[in-house]
């Protein structure tokens, strides 16, 4: 897997890196008061932050929590804006180190990847292999064990100061998802197993990146040991394709055993072997070899959200631009499936903008 990498930490607190990190953290959020206040004295704030990091005085602040219920209920923990800049700065330095080690078919939170490329790859595999094993992990973000993740860091990162910062970020979010995790007893566990530090706050940039670090051993196991040619993963959703059912059932057993070494549990009831022609539930779509449909729950959730947005717009509580942006975002996503009829039905009652409004049509 290559030698460990040193001399990373000075790159993290370099002013240019912090400046780019702040731009990344602010993207789409510049209207928020905390972001505006930080950017009002941006140079001074970044200089102070760089000094705190260089002298290892930086400490994470308290998180704010909120719950989202679509597509499923999740607790989102928001770090203070200054901390989010640190998360982006650290990720900007570490990501290129790991990019050389990650497999090509890992698609989440990686430059040039994403959900739509993952869907295209799934379609490609469905055309080539007759059977698929669909997998996901129980309570993945709450279940990630800090001791396991630290060991993975130390296998790649040799810079002790960079490891110090990783530890500080981990410690800052250690209690955020404690109530979201159902304790599991793994082989060899002692009495301290239930209180092991675990969990990565879903809203952190570092958490999205470290999810790939945590599951990279699984990716390597599937590719190098199982020698599965048709494999792809998006966060904790992953697919294995093969010419026959027997092979996939054997791989399922081996994956369950391997995940236990990472202190993770497979959703066994959902880990089914299916014919690719039956349609593969994946990333909000049902993927077939020759077409792709949006899953019903996605359409229902959007229809509910669209009604609420229209009501808010009619009441004058949101501008047309917000309504339009939400709809255009969903349309762009849904267009990656065979959904013209669905989009036409859901958006049959168009909302006309005020005469002075600017922007693209609501639906096209």
């Amino acid at each position: 897997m290559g030698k460990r990498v040193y001399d990373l930490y000075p790159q993290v607190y370099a002013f240019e890196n912090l400046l780019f990190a702040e731009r990344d953290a602010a993207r789409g959020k510049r209207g928020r008061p905390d972001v505006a206040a930080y950017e009002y004295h941006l140079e001074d704030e970044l200089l102070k932050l760089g000094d705190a990091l260089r002298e290892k005085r930086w400490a994470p602040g308290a998180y704010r929590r909120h719950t989202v219920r679509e597509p499923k209920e999740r607790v989102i923990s928001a770090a203070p804006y200054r901390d989010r800049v640190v998360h982006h700065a650290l990720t900007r330095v570490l990501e290129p180190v790991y990019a050389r080690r990650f497999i090509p078919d890992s698609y989440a939170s990686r430059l040039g990847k994403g959900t739509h490329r993952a869907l295209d790859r799934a379609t490609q595999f469905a055309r080539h292999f007759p059977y698929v094993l669909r997998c996901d992990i129980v309570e993945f973000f709450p279940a990630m064990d800090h001791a396991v993740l630290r060991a993975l860091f130390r296998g790649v990162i040799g810079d002790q100061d960079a490891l110090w910062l990783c530890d500080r970020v981990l410690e800052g979010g250690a209690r955020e998802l404690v109530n979201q995790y159902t304790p599991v007893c793994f082989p060899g566990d002692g009495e301290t197993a239930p209180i092991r530090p675990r969990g990565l706050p879903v809203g952190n940039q570092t958490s999205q990146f470290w999810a790939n670090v945590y599951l990279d051993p699984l990716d390597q196991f599937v590719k190098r040991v199982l020698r599965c040619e048709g494999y792809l993963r998006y966060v904790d959703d992953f697919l294995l394709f093969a010419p026959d059912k027997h092979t996939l059932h054997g791989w399922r057993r081996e994956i369950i055993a391997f995940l236990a070494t990472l202190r993770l549990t497979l959703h066994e009831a959902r880990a089914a072997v299916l014919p690719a022609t039956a349609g593969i539930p994946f990333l909000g779509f049902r993927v077939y070899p020759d077409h792709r449909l949006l899953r019903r729950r996605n359409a229902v959730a959007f229809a509910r959200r669209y009604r609420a947005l229209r009501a808010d717009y009619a009441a004058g509580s949101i501008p047309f631009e917000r309504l339009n942006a939400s709809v255009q975002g969903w349309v762009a996503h849904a267009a990656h499936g065979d959904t013209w009829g669905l989009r036409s039905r859901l958006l049959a009652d168009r909302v006309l903008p005020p005469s002075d409004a600017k922007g693209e049509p609501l639906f096209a």
Side-chain angles (χ1 to χ4, degrees), residues 19 31 36 39 49 54 81 102 108 136 147 150 154 157 190 204 232 234 245 280 285 294 304 315 323 333 337-338 344:
L19 182 61
E39 292 195 327
L49 181 58
R54 183 178 63 255
Y81 184 68
F102 290 158
D136 69 309
R150 284 186 168 103
R154 282 156 176 75
I157 302 169
N204 284 0
L232 74 152
Y234 189 94
K245 295 180 182 179
I280 307 159
F285 288 83
L294 195 71
R304 187 183 303 118
L323 169 63
H333 175 67
D338 299 277
S344 298

Side-chain angles (χ1 to χ4, degrees), residues 51-222:
D51 289 342
L53 288 169
R54 183 178 63 255
E55 297 165 11
K56 297 171 70 173
R57 292 184 288 105
W58 177 81
Y63 285 82
R64 291 180 295 103
R65 302 184 191 94
H66 67 278
T67 302
V68 296
R69 292 179 170 82
E70 292 180 5
K72 59 183 179 181
E73 185 168 308
R74 294 181 301 162
V75 175
I76 305 296
S77 298
Y81 184 68
R82 180 174 182 262
D83 292 2
R84 296 202 296 276
V85 175
V86 173
H87 300 165
H88 278 272
L90 178 59
T91 301
R92 282 177 52 82
V93 172
L94 294 187
E95 208 163 24
V97 173
Y98 281 92
R100 299 189 293 269
R101 292 165 165 80
F102 290 158
I103 66 169
D105 282 315
S106 165
Y107 286 89
S109 302
R110 297 183 64 192
L111 188 64
K113 303 288 185 176
T115 56
H116 300 138
R117 294 206 176 193
L119 287 163
D120 290 342
R121 187 63 160 160
T123 300
Q124 181 182 359
F125 283 142
R127 290 172 178 167
H128 188 70
F129 296 97
Y131 295 101
V132 61
L133 170 64
R134 172 186 174 239
C135 299
D136 69 309
I137 294 169
V138 177
E139 298 170 354
F140 175 55
F141 278 94
M144 277 189 274
D145 189 283
H146 290 193
V148 173
L149 187 54
R150 284 186 168 103
L152 293 172
F153 288 153
R154 282 156 176 75
V156 173
I157 302 169
D159 186 321
Q160 295 302 309
D161 291 335
L163 290 170
W164 169 84
L165 184 56
C166 292
D167 286 345
R168 295 297 280 161
V169 174
L170 278 176
E171 290 163 4
R175 303 295 299 172
E176 287 305 301
L177 299 182
V178 67
N179 295 324
Q180 310 300 312
Y181 177 69
T182 305
V184 177
C185 185
F186 292 95
D189 274 357
E191 295 180 358
T192 60
I195 60 172
R196 291 171 67 102
R198 60 172 60 84
L200 298 184
V202 176
N204 284 0
Q205 176 71 17
T206 45
S207 299
Q208 307 303 314
F209 168 52
W210 287 346
N212 285 332
V213 174
Y214 203 103
L215 287 182
D216 181 60
L218 171 68
D219 297 341
Q220 303 298 336
F221 174 76
V222 172

